[in-house]
């Protein structure tokens, strides 16, 4: 994107304030996402919004890259992405003007340039947000009859005598177990479940109750306290979760067993990174000082995996989904488009081993509590 008038002065003289505004910009976006009752991977969403903020003030990221990054986080919902961007920008502009009115016109120029490149339309975005709010609070049957969601706490009371299912991610691996309501009062919920589920809840930071006979949608709950000895957790139901992460992932995203260097090759460019996670469908890599590549770029990843005591060199063709710059670290999220590559059998073997090792680690933690 083209630079705007006053770019250098804004960057040099307002560096500290812009850092503060970036934090508030991301925080505002997260609150807007929560209002829409939409789940997105927290790390990916924060990274995408950070990229958007830096594009606004002129750090060179194209509008298309910003939008592609947000759409990846938001299940390809372009209107929701624009709604969150538009309202986060309005909040940023208001906060900045209050603290540094001297550069108000410069910031207006930056935002105007970004909006022009993005094609943001306030009326369409606000209208979409209102529609989304209605949709996330209803269930439609055959496109005709509509059932409005009831009160979350009322539904849980109705489910007190039945079994619930909990689903969480432990280091990328889905953990699912039955749970029983033992107490429910003062809008607090006590559940008894398996110890490994409690540890998965602790790892993820929230408990996810799956929809069932008496529960009309998944429910995300805050954790108030644990009693690991009794297999109990006290929760506070606080929102419906229409996009539970563990249900969205086709394959577990597994962390490597040790530090694993990976070289990413794109045309004549080379990026030396570390493997962040790997699955049967793709991988993530991170580095401290990487290149800004466009989504859709064709990459080759070269790295070694230890399988049954032997090192296997992996030469894997990938497509870049998004490159995210967050807090000085570049994260590359890539997908495998050709599953007939010779190295796929090694990737399948490695991910099977890592999934078993992760579950064994969780079982050992549970055993240590006994």
């Amino acid at each position: 994107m083209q630079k705007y008038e006053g770019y250098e002065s804004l960057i040099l003289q307002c560096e500290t304030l812009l850092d503060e505004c970036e934090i508030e910009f991301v925080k505002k976006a997260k609150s807007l996402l929560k209002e829409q009752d939409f789940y997105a991977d927290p790390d990916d969403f924060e990274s995408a919004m950070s990229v958007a903020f830096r594009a606004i003030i002129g750090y060179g990221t194209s509008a298309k890259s910003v939008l592609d990054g947000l759409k990846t986080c938001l299940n390809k919902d372009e209107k929701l992405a624009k709604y969150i961007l538009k309202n986060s920008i309005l909040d940023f502009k208001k906060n900045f003007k209050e603290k540094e009115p001297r550069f108000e016109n410069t910031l207006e120029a930056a935002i105007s340039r970004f909006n022009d490149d993005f094609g943001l339309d306030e009326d369409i975005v606000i209208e979409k947000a209102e529609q989304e709010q209605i949709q996330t609070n209803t269930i439609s049957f055959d496109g005709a009859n509509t059932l409005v969601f009831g009160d979350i706490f009322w539904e849980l009371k109705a489910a007190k005598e039945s079994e619930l299912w909990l689903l969480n991610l432990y280091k990328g691996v889905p953990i699912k177990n039955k749970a029983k309501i033992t107490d429910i009062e003062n809008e607090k919920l006590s559940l008894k479940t398996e110890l490994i589920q409690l540890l998965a809840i602790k790892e993820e930071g929230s408990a996810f109750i799956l929809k069932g006979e008496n529960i009309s949608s998944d429910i995300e709950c805050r954790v108030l306290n644990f009693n690991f000895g009794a297999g109990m957790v006290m929760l506070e139901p606080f929102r419906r979760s229409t996009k539970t992460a563990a249900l969205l992932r086709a394959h577990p995203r597994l962390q490597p067993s040790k530090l694993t260097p990976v070289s990413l090759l794109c045309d004549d460019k080379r990026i030396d990174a570390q493997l962040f996670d790997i699955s049967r469908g793709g991988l993530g890599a991170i580095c401290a000082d990487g290149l800004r590549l466009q989504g859709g770029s064709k990459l080759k990843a070269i790295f070694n995996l230890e399988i049954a005591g032997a090192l296997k060199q992996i030469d894997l063709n990938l497509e870049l989904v998004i490159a995210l710059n967050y807090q000085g670290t570049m994260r590359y999220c890539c997908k495998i488009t050709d599953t007939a590559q010779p190295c796929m059998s090694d990737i399948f073997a490695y991910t099977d081993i890592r999934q078993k090792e992760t579950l064994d680690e969780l079982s050992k933690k549970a055993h240590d509590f006994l």
Side-chain angles (χ1 to χ4, degrees):
M1 289 189 284
Q2 296 295 319
K3 292 293 187 289
Y4 49 88
E5 185 176 352
Y7 164 77
E8 291 81 4
S9 297
L10 179 68
I11 299 301
L12 292 173
Q13 298 188 44
C14 301
E15 181 179 2
T16 301
L17 176 57
L18 289 172
D19 287 343
E20 295 172 359
C21 287
E22 181 177 349
I23 294 170
E24 292 303 316
F25 183 82
V26 174
K27 187 182 296 184
K28 176 65 176 179
K30 290 168 68 176
S31 71
L32 290 166
L33 188 68
K34 183 176 178 181
E35 287 173 8
Q36 295 300 304
D37 196 22
F38 194 106
Y39 181 86
D41 183 282
D43 292 338
D44 291 350
F45 182 69
E46 289 179 15
S47 298
M49 289 307 301
S50 181
V51 169
F53 180 87
R54 297 177 185 201
I56 292 168
I57 61 176
Y59 285 163
T61 306
S62 71
K64 182 180 183 303
S65 294
V66 172
L67 186 58
D68 287 347
L70 273 177
K71 286 168 63 179
T72 298
C73 297
L74 302 176
N75 199 26
K76 300 183 180 179
D77 192 330
E78 182 169 331
K79 289 187 177 180
L80 179 58
K82 288 185 174 181
Y83 166 73
I84 291 172
L85 268 173
K86 184 73 177 182
N87 285 279
S88 298
I89 289 170
L90 291 173
D91 189 68
F92 166 38
K93 184 165 65 172
K94 175 177 176 293
N95 292 337
F96 185 91
K97 179 181 176 181
E98 290 174 354
K99 295 177 180 178
E100 188 50 276
R102 292 180 304 156
F103 287 88
E104 179 183 356
N105 291 338
T106 304
L107 185 65
E108 285 284 0
I111 290 173
S112 176
R113 177 207 55 141
F114 183 81
N115 285 349
D116 288 345
D117 285 342
F118 227 110
L120 293 182
D121 186 314
E122 186 171 353
D123 292 337
I124 291 176
V125 172
I126 291 175
E127 179 184 354
K128 175 63 179 179
E130 291 171 352
Q131 291 172 352
E132 284 292 325
Q133 189 62 39
I134 294 170
Q135 291 169 359
T136 55
N137 283 286
T138 62
I139 303 175
S140 295
F141 300 94
D142 301 324
N145 300 320
T146 299
L147 171 67
V148 178
F149 279 160
D151 176 78
I152 290 177
F153 206 68
W154 181 87
E155 287 187 6
L156 289 168
K157 284 184 176 179
K160 185 175 181 181
E161 301 305 318
S162 60
E163 287 182 325
L164 304 176
W165 282 97
L166 300 177
L167 179 64
N168 283 87
L169 291 172
Y170 179 81
K171 297 186 177 181
V173 179
I175 307 297
K176 182 179 178 181
N177 281 285
K178 291 180 180 179
K180 183 75 174 177
I181 297 174
T182 60
D183 191 36
I184 182 167
E185 63 178 345
N186 299 325
E187 301 207 352
K188 292 181 175 58
L189 175 70
S190 294
L191 293 178
K192 184 176 178 62
T193 187
E194 299 295 327
L195 184 53
I196 59 171
Q197 193 71 43
L198 297 180
L199 294 172
I201 292 171
K202 185 174 184 293
E203 176 80 12
E204 194 163 9
S206 296
F208 293 88
I209 299 173
L210 296 181
K211 66 180 180 181
E213 182 179 352
N214 295 299
I215 307 297
S216 57
S217 72
D218 300 345
I219 300 171
E220 183 177 357
C221 302
R222 293 188 183 94
V223 177
L224 298 177
N225 58 62
F226 291 99
N227 184 336
F228 292 105
M232 303 281 293
V233 60
M234 181 178 285
L235 306 168
E236 182 179 43
F238 73 100
R239 76 178 187 103
R240 298 191 181 277
S241 177
T242 56
K243 302 289 181 182
T244 304
L247 295 175
L248 293 176
R249 297 178 178 177
H251 308 286
R253 300 179 190 172
L254 301 153
Q255 299 173 9
S257 56
K258 60 183 179 181
L259 202 63
T260 304
V262 54
S263 295
L264 298 177
L265 309 179
C266 180
D267 297 328
D268 60 345
K269 305 179 183 71
R270 177 191 176 103
I271 301 167
D272 293 319
Q274 297 290 337
L275 191 65
F276 181 74
D277 59 29
I278 186 169
S279 75
R280 291 187 170 211
L283 62 78
I286 56 173
C287 63
D289 187 22
L291 301 172
R292 294 179 181 273
L293 302 177
Q294 296 293 317
S297 297
K298 302 302 181 184
L299 304 175
K300 178 184 281 290
I302 302 174
F303 55 102
N304 292 320
L305 292 176
E306 185 175 337
I307 303 172
L311 277 183
K312 301 282 189 176
Q313 180 171 310
I314 307 297
D315 289 6
L316 181 64
N317 293 318
L318 299 161
E319 180 180 313
L320 181 67
V321 177
I322 187 172
L324 301 170
N325 190 329
Y326 184 62
Q327 295 182 347
T329 300
M330 188 68 75
R331 179 175 172 185
Y332 301 93
C333 303
C334 310
K335 65 180 179 181
I336 299 170
T337 55
D338 177 9
T339 57
Q341 299 179 65
C343 64
M344 289 305 297
S345 59
D346 288 332
I347 290 175
F348 282 15
Y350 182 79
T351 52
D352 287 346
I353 291 168
R354 284 301 297 143
Q355 180 163 345
K356 181 180 184 304
E357 288 175 345
T358 303
L359 291 172
D360 288 346
E361 174 191 312
L362 181 59
S363 296
K364 184 179 184 304
K365 282 188 175 182
H367 182 267
D368 290 344
F369 274 93
L370 300 177

